[in-house]
Amino acid sequence: MSEVVTRRRKGVGLKNFKQRWSEQPKENLATADVPGKRCATPPGDDDGRQGALKRFSAMWPSFRKARKDKIKEPDLAETRENLPVMDNVPIQPRRVSGQYFFEYLVVVSLKKNKDGSNYEPQITYQFPKRDVMAKYQKEEEEKTLKAITLFCFPEGISWAPLTEYHSETFSFVLTEIDGSRRNGYCRRLLPGGRGARPPEAFCIISSLACFGLFSKIFDEVEKRRQISMALIYPFMQKLREASFPAPGQTVEIKSFIPESGTEIIHLTRPLDSWLEHVNFCTLFDCLTNEEVLQVFAAAVLERRIIFIAEELGTLSQVLHAVAALLYPFTWQHTFISIVPEILIDVVMAPTPYLLGVQKRLLDQVTDQSDLLLVDLSKNKEKTFLVTIGDEDSILPPKLQAEILDALSQRRKVSDVEEAKKVEEVNRVVSEAFLHFFVRTVGHYSSYVKYSKEGPGVFEKRRFYKAIESKTTRHFVKKFIQTQMFDLFVQELEQQQPSGQQQGIFHRKITEYQKKKNEKTKKH
């Protein structure tokens, strides 16, 4: 990581940043990630910290209301999004397949401030550039650009010029007041040149969630950057003209590089599109199977969870992975994969959250209680720095054992070629946790009463009373009190009976019930 000097005490240019800091599970958050209105306060300002907490607490009722967007099944028609105006031409809402790859690309460079004492992030390149905009559009774009600079360089401290810097890729999510989200993909690297120089960040803003695909795009951007910035424009223009491929499909981008000639870049979208923003390998590189279960248990009951790591990429990938474990449910609360130092007061929020915090800020979060604090570092002394104490007993013991047994199958794919390994691990892990929800709440559809006149009514008490296992019933009784389950039920009640027979979750339920019936017949 970078060499650093004195800490910043002022949040320059953040006056208009309220309403624009945030991140969700791609299924989910994984949210940068926090929606709502917020004013940054300098670290160490006690009055400011209390004021921030009051503003934060007052924000949540409206936040929860705004975030009740629809639960999505991955193989259904994907929802349309209200995309911004690009190049002064309104983009019509379209299905994800065939949509633009990205809204725009920006380069964030570290420039010395007016007195020359510190480096501060500034937008030095933007593609496409929008020159003609209405006043409200211009104001919204300014807010977005300021948010981008903050999340591209979340350290909140001055940087010193460097001669060596290992490039890193991470992501965040910009969440609007209405709950709509845009993904930010960032690649930080040391620009070409001689002598010491500060790093710069390339950031792509897109409504599409596909971390692996955008990582490959960044590889191409970085390769061109080392030759000349001028080579980035034609490549990104070609990319923007291409349609986003359907799951399992490939798009080809032709791009010319001096001395190398025309290259054809193949960008393939994973077949399991609901996992394309997730890499479970990183999660299990940092935590044991048993530790992942405890994190999952805390998340499924919507508790406050903070992850600590030194690398930004580790934080963003782990948080998105944890959120994805909750499928078919969606994390409905604060989700910030990388918390900028100037927004560290978010840890004081009394409501549930999933937060990623750099390890150098550990002292600013260890005074919190009633949460789970997870250290993802390689050379950690212990994983859980703060716990509530019941994390290992939340899930039914029998189902815990089933998940652990399923996760053990990951060892069998260790020798698979790297490109296929991530997809295979994602499949094994996702199915293990999806099966958990099939076993615990898969009978939900039998307890919705529909009428011709209005929406259905979910019979909550009959639903959990129907569970034979006492330990499973005890867990489900807690789980049905969460917002993620509440939203799931609300969507279910609005559907017609004929509209329930679709989606991966329903197929897994059908498969499980079929096996269960066959087993019963044999006995």
Side-chain angles (χ1 to χ4, degrees):
M1 285 297 293
S2 62
E3 301 171 19
V4 297
V5 287
T6 57
R7 293 173 179 253
R8 290 182 189 153
R9 291 293 179 185
K10 294 183 180 179
V12 180
L14 290 175
K15 183 178 179 181
N16 295 323
F17 182 62
K18 58 183 180 179
Q19 297 185 355
R20 175 82 53 166
W21 61 287
S22 62
E23 219 176 322
Q24 149 128 349
K26 293 331 177 259
E27 212 351 277
N28 134 34
L29 163 252
T31 140
D33 301 340
V34 178
K37 297 182 179 180
R38 178 176 175 80
C39 294
T41 56
D45 185 339
D46 292 335
D47 293 336
R49 291 170 68 91
Q50 292 301 319
L53 180 56
K54 290 178 181 177
R55 287 190 296 274
F56 209 82
S57 300
M59 174 185 81
W60 295 124
S62 60
F63 164 60
R64 291 194 183 103
K65 183 179 179 181
R67 289 293 295 276
K68 288 186 177 180
D69 41 5
K70 293 185 176 181
I71 295 290
K72 292 173 282 190
E73 290 284 9
D75 57 349
L76 299 178
E78 295 171 284
T79 57
R80 295 181 173 185
E81 307 207 10
N82 294 321
L83 300 179
V85 176
M86 301 296 290
D87 291 334
N88 308 314
V89 178
I91 298 175
Q92 298 299 319
R94 294 183 284 175
R95 292 169 60 91
V96 170
S97 298
Q99 188 173 319
Y100 284 116
F101 266 87
F102 67 98
E103 291 184 22
Y104 47 84
L105 163 78
V106 298
V107 178
V108 182
S109 302
L110 291 170
K111 301 291 185 180
K112 284 194 173 182
N113 57 12
K114 292 181 179 179
D115 61 13
S117 59
N118 292 322
Y119 283 92
E120 294 176 349
Q122 297 178 14
I123 302 289
T124 55
Y125 178 87
Q126 178 181 342
F127 170 79
K129 187 72 174 178
R130 294 189 286 171
D131 297 320
V132 181
M133 291 185 292
K135 183 179 179 180
Y136 79 93
Q137 290 177 315
K138 188 173 182 179
E139 290 175 349
E140 286 300 302
E141 180 164 272
E142 287 176 353
K143 292 176 185 178
T144 298
L145 295 179
K146 286 177 181 178
I148 290 172
T149 62
L150 183 63
F151 287 107
C152 285
F153 289 94
E155 287 79 0
I157 53 179
S158 302
W159 288 75
L162 308 168
T163 55
E164 294 183 1
Y165 181 79
H166 180 67
S167 66
E168 55 185 336
T169 306
F170 54 95
S171 65
F172 56 89
V173 177
L174 298 174
T175 308
E176 310 298 339
I177 296 297
D178 65 358
S180 61
R181 303 182 185 93
R182 287 183 292 174
N183 301 286
Y185 302 95
C186 187
R187 170 72 62 88
R188 288 205 316 205
L189 51 86
L190 198 63
R194 295 182 178 180
R197 54 209 181 276
E200 64 185 9
F202 287 77
C203 183
I204 294 175
I205 300 299
S206 175
S207 60
L208 307 170
C210 191
F211 186 85
L213 206 60
F214 283 95
S215 292
K216 187 170 183 179
I217 291 172
F218 276 131
D219 291 341
E220 299 298 327
V221 169
E222 184 172 357
K223 181 166 65 176
R224 286 157 179 76
R225 174 65 181 94
Q226 300 305 328
I227 301 172
S228 171
M229 278 289 291
L231 295 178
I232 296 176
Y233 171 83
F235 170 70
M236 296 305 292
Q237 180 63 41
K238 288 283 187 181
L239 184 66
R240 193 160 180 273
E241 292 171 354
S243 294
F244 193 65
Q249 299 300 307
T250 299
V251 65
E252 294 183 351
I253 306 295
K254 293 183 179 180
S255 178
F256 178 78
I257 297 181
E259 300 182 4
S260 298
T262 300
E263 292 186 352
I264 299 178
I265 298 106
H266 297 86
L267 300 174
T268 303
R269 189 177 175 192
L271 188 59
D272 293 328
S273 60
W274 66 291
L275 292 173
E276 60 190 344
H277 196 70
V278 179
N279 182 349
F280 285 123
C281 293
T282 304
L283 174 64
F284 285 90
D285 285 344
C286 297
L287 303 175
T288 65
N289 292 353
E290 291 76 12
E291 290 168 345
V292 169
L293 266 187
Q294 292 188 50
V295 170
F296 171 74
V300 84
L301 292 188
E302 296 183 335
R303 293 182 173 179
R304 302 195 305 163
I305 309 176
I306 299 177
F307 296 89
I308 300 292
E310 295 173 352
E311 297 181 354
L312 302 179
T314 298
L315 287 174
S316 66
Q317 290 188 45
V318 166
L319 265 82
H320 285 299
V322 170
L325 293 178
L326 301 173
Y327 179 81
F329 303 95
T330 303
W331 181 262
Q332 294 299 312
H333 302 275
T334 306
F335 181 99
I336 313 182
S337 60
I338 302 168
V339 179
E341 181 176 4
I342 201 167
L343 301 180
I344 196 64
D345 287 346
V346 68
V347 302
M348 297 189 298
T351 51
Y353 53 57
L354 292 178
L355 304 178
V357 176
Q358 289 179 280
K359 193 161 187 176
R360 59 186 184 76
L361 300 176
L362 180 59
D363 292 342
Q364 299 190 46
V365 300
T366 50
D367 59 345
Q368 299 297 307
S369 59
D370 196 30
L371 55 73
L372 183 64
L373 182 58
V374 188
D375 190 349
L376 303 173
S377 307
K378 294 179 180 179
N379 300 319
K380 60 200 171 195
E381 293 183 4
K382 62 178 181 178
T383 299
F384 300 119
L385 305 180
V386 179
T387 66
I388 292 178
D390 65 345
E391 289 83 1
D392 60 351
S393 60
I394 292 174
L395 306 180
K398 183 178 179 180
L399 297 184
Q400 282 196 57
E402 289 184 3
I403 295 176
L404 291 173
D405 181 61
L407 293 179
S408 67
Q409 301 300 312
R410 288 185 300 110
R411 297 191 183 95
K412 298 180 181 180
V413 301
S414 59
D415 295 329
V416 177
E417 132 187 31
E418 191 62 32
K420 298 288 185 181
K421 180 179 178 181
V422 173
E423 289 189 22
E424 183 62 16
V425 169
N426 280 359
R427 184 192 64 79
V428 171
V429 173
S430 62
E431 287 188 359
F433 287 91
L434 187 58
H435 183 69
F436 170 83
F437 287 119
V438 169
R439 291 288 306 273
T440 53
V441 297
H443 59 298
Y444 68 89
S445 61
S446 300
Y447 295 88
V448 182
K449 280 192 172 181
Y450 292 96
S451 62
K452 295 181 180 180
E453 294 75 21
V457 177
F458 182 67
E459 299 176 313
K460 184 180 293 186
R461 182 175 176 80
R462 285 188 60 227
F463 167 71
Y464 75 78
K465 285 286 187 180
I467 301 172
E468 296 179 1
S469 168
K470 185 179 294 186
T471 55
T472 301
R473 185 166 63 248
H474 180 69
F475 164 76
V476 171
K477 194 173 181 180
K478 291 182 178 180
F479 178 57
I480 61 178
Q481 305 302 319
T482 63
Q483 283 198 27
M484 69 178 83
F485 186 82
D486 183 56
L487 181 60
F488 181 85
V489 167
Q490 286 184 38
E491 292 297 320
L492 183 65
E493 291 173 333
Q494 295 301 320
Q495 295 175 357
Q496 293 302 314
S498 59
Q500 301 174 33
Q501 312 302 313
Q502 305 179 62
I504 291 177
F505 188 43
H506 178 78
R507 288 208 306 270
K508 293 296 182 182
I509 292 173
T510 303
E511 291 173 7
Y512 172 72
Q513 291 176 339
K514 184 177 180 181
K515 291 180 180 178
K516 188 176 180 181
N517 292 337
E518 290 176 353
K519 187 176 181 181
T520 302
K521 289 179 181 179
K522 289 180 180 179
H523 291 284

